[in-house]
Amino acid sequence: MGDKTHAHPGAAGRATAADHPASVRNVVLVGPCGSGKTTLVEALALSTGAVNRAGRVEDGSTVSDHDEIEHRQHRSVQLSLTPLTWDGIKVNLLDTPGYADFVGELRAGLRAADAALFVVSAADGVDGSTRLAWEECAAVGMPRAIVVTHLEAARADFEETTRVCAEAFGGDDPDAVLPLYLPLRGAPGPDGHAPVTGLTGLLSRKLFDYASGERQESDPDPGRLPGIEEARNRLIEGIIAESEDETLMDRYLSGEEIDVKTLVDDLERAVARAAFFPVLAAAPAPGTARQGLGTVELLDLITRGFPTPLERTAPKVTARDGTARVLDASDPDGPLVAEVVRTASDPYVGRISLVRVFSGTLHPDDTVHVCGHGLADHAHGPGHEPRAPHEADERVGALSSPFGAQQHPLTRCVAGDLACVAKLSHAETGDTLSAPEDPLLMEPWEMPDPLLPLAVQAHSKADEDKLSQGLGRLAAEDPTLRLEQNPDTHQIVLWCLGEAHADVALERLRSRYGVQVDVVAHRVPLRETFAGRSAGRGRHVKQSGGHGQYAICEIEVEPLPGGSGIEFVDKVVGGAVPRQFIPSVEKGVRAQATKGVAAGYPLIDVRVTLLDGKAHAVDSSDAAFQTAGALALREAAADARIHLLEPVAEVTVLVGDDYVGTVMSDLSGRRGRVLGTEQADGGRTSVRAEVPEIEIGRYAVDLRSLSHGTARFRRAYARHEPMPAQVAARIREETPGGG
């Protein structure tokens, strides 16, 4: 790293099929919107020769403005793959969206990759969401490096940005986050700003000048050497501290000069096992130049320091009978196990699945077994249906390697590599592909709970006919989107991660599936109950010639503890209501309870006791006593005070200590009851509270604003409980027919 000359990249360009897992590197780019991830991908593609300044890929075909490598970051909302080749190594770059709403795409990228590049803007520093992503990588031991961008900004300070990164990412060991190169600045311009024109390699003591547009290596002037020695010594000490050679530190402290090759080898091993996190700098190539600043150094780090798929432990796999199976790491000759990490729709090709192969080799026209988990979700209370498990045998279509909007055909995809697979009509994001004769299922990666409800209805009758299919396809593409058909409110609800996520879902419905929907107010499932004991008499007597209708019943209603439901008790004596009509009264009572007795919401948690009644030998019937039972319950409600019940959620917020007071105050303002707090890792606190669901419809958005994107929360249905009188009065006024 840093001691190689690359005037022209050897065997570089757009990637094709990999021959072996050892020749693959899977790297996910992580960083906030505007940090420069997509620009960095473009710069790396330019440096490898995959594209040139004329907008042509290496095979001579044109990449139009519309068909860029990827949409610019401010429009990018989906994981994208750009495969490149450098020194005979295939590098799969997975560019993730920078918006917090699309953390599901980020986690899919982490699953598909073996190492991560954290892209940090020198102008903006490290934000809260980037810190959280670093913690997720640390939890699974993923190797990481940091790339500092936007060095051309007037307020950019590489040294200060490196210090901030060490503080944010280094934890107890800030010396594990150190730069490998220092920026080399040119002459100041008229504004006094000195542009970065090259890099100084700390280990090699070489200058790499990019001012001409081609990387030029030279020895520094003797006057520059003292300025880099302090940073070089600190880097050497950081590398030696993580070395597996326990004698190296003693040799260094005794004054021995450790040769550069030994240091580079130790550095590469420390990076691969996630013990050292180097900081590099990168900038796009100016004008017509081919090589952007730092791109060669970054590509060397990726190909020489990041691990191969052979060094990654495969996710847990189970057979159909539930027994665990242990896979060899990325064995091309092993049983086929691949995972769908992204699903997209193409108007001409149909569904396209981006697949990471963890074991075996996938070929075009193979028949595979597609298997998906049932994703149970209890967060939203009654009426929320889990996603059903599914499986089917399907024939794989063409395999291809994407480059922008183009798809280049592949003859195979070996273990450790990624490819796009066409025409897997049953495959959804997160599904496992395996051999039909040996079906296997991979443990899914953890997805965030979508907690922002969006109620929709078809805009027209034509849209209504296409809505179900469109929503189904949308859910298959995006596992962070949950669909709910609420039986209480009769609403179709899309549970999203945030407003941007909701906007993208609606736009995909419209543009991809031709479905126009209207957004309506989301309603929570309310209930009713009796506040005290009450009695009612139901009289249904009609004579109209021939058989009439005759049924009278008297009931008593009393409230029960929460969760009791409807209890029906028969205390009729003397046969006042014939035995065959007792179930009829109960049926009528329960039917009326379902419709509600005050504001039209289901009645719960009461005991209804049938005390007395009258019947006619000829005119009494099942229907008549059902009607009488319903009338009796309505009369009892008319003379009683009825409580309107609202669902209450148990909310757990994980928030930085600096924002605990703000979060607790906000929860109290939402009629919440704070149950307690617990100290968590990383200077954070877990706050538990019970909050009415009607008050947290937009909490996913509001909490992000309150905590500057650093807090997370979970919610689970707890129970229904009475609303405050003033809130209940407002709800009744807003309910048609309520009161």
Side-chain angles (χ1 to χ4, degrees), residues 135-197:
E135 291 176 7
E136 290 195 25
C137 291
V140 296
M142 176 173 282
R144 284 146 280 159
I146 300 155
V147 185
V148 178
T149 59
H150 294 165
L151 293 170
E152 72 283 358
R155 65 182 186 277
D157 186 330
F158 178 82
E159 289 75 14
E160 174 62 16
T161 302
T162 300
R163 186 195 66 77
V164 170
C165 289
E167 183 180 277
F169 303 143
D172 297 331
D173 186 13
D175 285 339
V177 180
L178 293 170
L180 299 184
Y181 304 87
L182 295 180
L184 180 66
R185 293 192 178 272
D191 59 355
H193 179 66
V196 177
T197 58

Side-chain angles (χ1 to χ4, degrees), residues 494-634:
L494 305 182
W495 288 88
C496 308
L497 292 173
E499 289 179 311
H501 190 205
D503 290 343
V504 167
L506 296 179
E507 175 58 25
R508 286 177 179 167
L509 269 180
R510 184 192 64 78
S511 60
R512 291 186 184 179
Y513 308 119
V515 181
Q516 189 78 31
V517 297
D518 298 322
V519 177
V520 297
H522 175 248
R523 300 194 300 270
V524 300
L526 303 180
R527 301 285 190 267
E528 300 172 354
T529 196
F530 278 63
R533 192 183 297 268
S534 183
R537 186 172 189 266
R539 185 177 187 276
H540 183 62
V541 178
K542 290 187 177 180
Q543 292 291 338
S544 56
H547 281 298
Q549 300 179 53
Y550 190 98
I552 298 174
C553 64
E554 296 179 5
I555 64 171
E556 183 180 72
V557 184
E558 58 187 312
L560 292 177
S564 300
I566 300 290
E567 183 179 325
F568 185 83
V569 178
D570 170 25
K571 287 192 176 179
V572 174
V573 294
V577 177
R579 307 312 303 167
Q580 69 269 26
F581 295 133
I582 301 293
S584 304
V585 176
E586 180 178 0
K587 190 174 182 181
V589 165
R590 291 187 180 276
Q592 185 61 52
T594 300
K595 298 175 184 177
V597 294
Y601 300 107
L603 178 72
I604 61 171
D605 300 336
V606 294
R607 177 184 293 121
V608 178
T609 303
L610 178 60
L611 300 173
D612 201 358
K614 293 182 180 180
H616 189 278
V618 176
D619 294 340
S620 290
S621 65
D622 169 66
F625 271 100
Q626 284 190 46
T627 302
L631 289 171
L633 186 61
R634 291 212 298 266

Side-chain angles (χ1 to χ4, degrees), residues 196-234:
V196 177
T197 58
L199 299 170
T200 302
L202 293 180
L203 291 182
S204 62
R205 292 191 180 100
K206 297 287 186 181
L207 299 185
F208 305 102
D209 192 349
Y210 283 84
S212 67
E214 294 287 339
R215 183 177 185 265
Q216 303 293 327
E217 180 180 333
S218 64
D219 293 321
D221 295 333
R224 288 183 179 268
L225 289 176
I228 69 171
E229 285 306 305
E230 181 181 351
R232 185 177 191 270
N233 290 336
R234 189 179 178 195

Side-chain angles (χ1 to χ4, degrees), residues 22-39:
S23 63
V24 177
R25 304 292 184 274
N26 298 310
V27 183
V28 61
L29 279 75
V30 182
C33 179
S35 61
K37 296 190 303 297
T38 304
T39 302

Side-chain angles (χ1 to χ4, degrees), residues 62 71 136 166 226 249 262 269 309 315 317 321 332 343 458 476 577 596 650 657 659 671 695 731:
T62 300
H71 291 299
E136 290 195 25
M249 181 61 79
T262 298
R269 284 191 289 268
V317 177
D321 61 4
T343 309
V577 177
E650 183 171 325
D657 292 344
Y659 300 105
R671 298 192 283 124
E695 302 288 349
I731 294 294

